[in-house]
Amino acid sequence: MSEHTMRAVTVTGFGGPEVLSVEEVSRPEPLPTEVLVRVHAAGVNPVDWKTREGQGMAGLQTFPLILGWDVSGVVEEVGFGVTTLAPGDEVYAMPWFPRAAGGYAEYVTAPARQWARKPATLDHVHAAAVPLAALTAWQTLVDTAHVRAGRRVLITAAAGGVGHFAVQFARHLGAHVIATASAARHSWLKELGAEETIDYTTTRFEDVVRDVDVVIDLVGDAHDRTSTRSLEVLRPGGLLVAVPSGVSPDLARAGEAAGVRVTPYLVEPDGTALATIAGLIDAGEVRVEVEETFPLEQAGTAHARVEAGRTRGKIVLTVAD
């Protein structure tokens, strides 16, 4: 490996985990306003395997493709004009989303202001578990739903990557948090701040929940019509944020008929929000859950693990020591 190349997990065609292959590729160089970061760890998200299969953000990608949007590492080099970061800074980010960021690699470049200094209390593995999931939770609750103290918030799939952050952020904002998850996750979710927990395997949440101000639906209508069922628990004028499946015409009509608001959502890079989130983590208000790690060479195994579902928190790839 020369100073001009690096190892990266590449995809040359859509398919199953077997299409992921570690190859030697050209190392990127930072343009003006960008930084070059040596990647220590990369988070794995559902959008990764969906894109690999030809779903998700597949329509925006070109081959050969390097997947991965969650990155934690160390600034190696800064481009012209960068004043906010310097070589040696430990940083984390969700760069470029939804365009390819190339996180499953030894080096990544992205605009300096898409990065933030990683939480000082986290190692790179745990920091890499944060950006995409935490930004999704933060932007839905703070920027989209404007959640504040006293609001009743229902979070579906609350034990997953986005969900476990959403529970903690909603609690931080003073909301009454209701979470759906399997019974084995309930005690943990209550530690994170959920005041009510519902076992989705035995109980339909619309049978036991009413007068909710905001639903953060992380499941979607593709799975048991979860978004549509969420309309039943909202108070008049309440808000459904439909994250994975978006808002179909049928769901929009159903929301209007029910007298509630519905909106799709897609996460955006936000270094400023990541700096705020890092502060909450370092203050001990937010915990980061990593269930399992895999080396870069086992990216296919990591994808299969995430695709199977039922993870507690996040799966992370280790790239450099």
Side-chain angles (χ1 to χ4, degrees):
M1 206 76 62
S2 75
E3 63 179 10
H4 302 295
T5 62
M6 65 177 184
R7 291 183 309 132
V9 177
T10 64
V11 178
T12 57
F14 297 126
E18 69 279 356
V19 304
L20 299 170
S21 175
V22 176
E23 305 290 345
E24 183 176 348
V25 301
S26 297
R27 195 176 95 171
E29 295 186 6
L31 298 174
T33 76
E34 294 184 349
V35 296
L36 173 70
V37 171
R38 186 184 184 204
V39 179
H40 283 245
V44 181
N45 295 286
V47 69
D48 299 8
W49 68 259
K50 291 177 182 179
T51 302
R52 184 209 72 223
E53 281 198 338
Q55 308 172 53
M57 298 295 116
L60 301 177
Q61 316 306 327
T62 58
F63 296 119
L65 169 64
I66 302 173
L67 288 168
W69 283 280
D70 273 341
V71 174
S72 183
V74 178
V75 175
E76 184 90 358
E77 182 183 341
V78 301
F80 176 79
V82 174
T83 60
T84 56
L85 295 171
D89 286 342
E90 295 188 315
V91 294
Y92 74 147
M94 182 202 72
W96 294 118
F97 191 86
R99 289 186 289 165
Y104 297 179
E106 292 182 312
Y107 292 91
V108 167
T109 55
R113 293 182 186 273
Q114 292 187 3
W115 301 86
R117 286 174 172 79
K118 81 168 183 64
T121 54
L122 296 184
D123 58 21
H124 285 293
V125 165
H126 286 78
V130 175
L132 191 148
L135 283 175
T136 300
W138 185 264
Q139 291 171 4
T140 54
L141 290 163
V142 176
D143 302 332
T144 304
H146 306 293
V147 169
R148 59 183 186 272
R151 294 296 192 186
R152 289 170 53 82
V153 176
L154 171 66
I155 300 165
T156 63
V162 176
H164 88 290
F165 285 117
V167 168
Q168 294 177 86
F169 293 155
R171 177 208 60 192
H172 169 74
L173 295 167
H176 178 95
V177 183
I178 308 163
T180 72
S182 62
R185 311 293 198 207
H186 287 189
S187 61
W188 172 61
L189 287 171
K190 288 183 177 178
E191 290 176 12
L192 297 183
E195 295 178 83
E196 298 180 47
T197 51
I198 300 167
D199 183 355
Y200 72 91
T201 68
T202 62
T203 305
R204 296 177 74 81
F205 58 79
E206 68 270 28
D207 292 338
V208 294
V209 176
R210 286 289 180 273
D211 298 321
V212 169
D213 295 285
V214 176
V215 175
I216 305 297
D217 178 28
L218 304 173
V219 178
D221 262 348
H223 298 276
D224 200 22
R225 299 176 66 252
T226 304
S227 291
T228 298
R229 290 165 46 216
S230 297
L231 302 177
E232 299 181 37
V233 308
L234 286 165
R235 64 165 178 78
L239 174 66
L240 164 65
V241 184
V243 177
S245 302
V247 177
S248 67
D250 286 345
L251 181 60
R253 285 190 290 269
E256 184 176 2
V260 301
R261 297 170 294 150
V262 296
T263 184
Y265 167 80
L266 188 64
V267 65
E268 302 175 53
D270 190 343
T272 300
L274 282 176
T276 300
I277 291 166
L280 293 174
I281 292 170
D282 286 341
E285 293 195 40
V286 173
R287 291 157 51 184
V288 181
E289 186 77 11
V290 173
E291 182 165 83
E292 199 167 0
T293 64
F294 296 89
L296 198 63
E297 291 76 11
Q298 293 181 24
T301 303
H303 269 225
R305 182 76 179 79
V306 174
E307 190 170 351
R310 308 294 188 267
T311 58
R312 171 168 153 162
K314 292 288 292 292
I315 301 297
V316 174
L317 296 176
T318 55
V319 183
D321 293 334

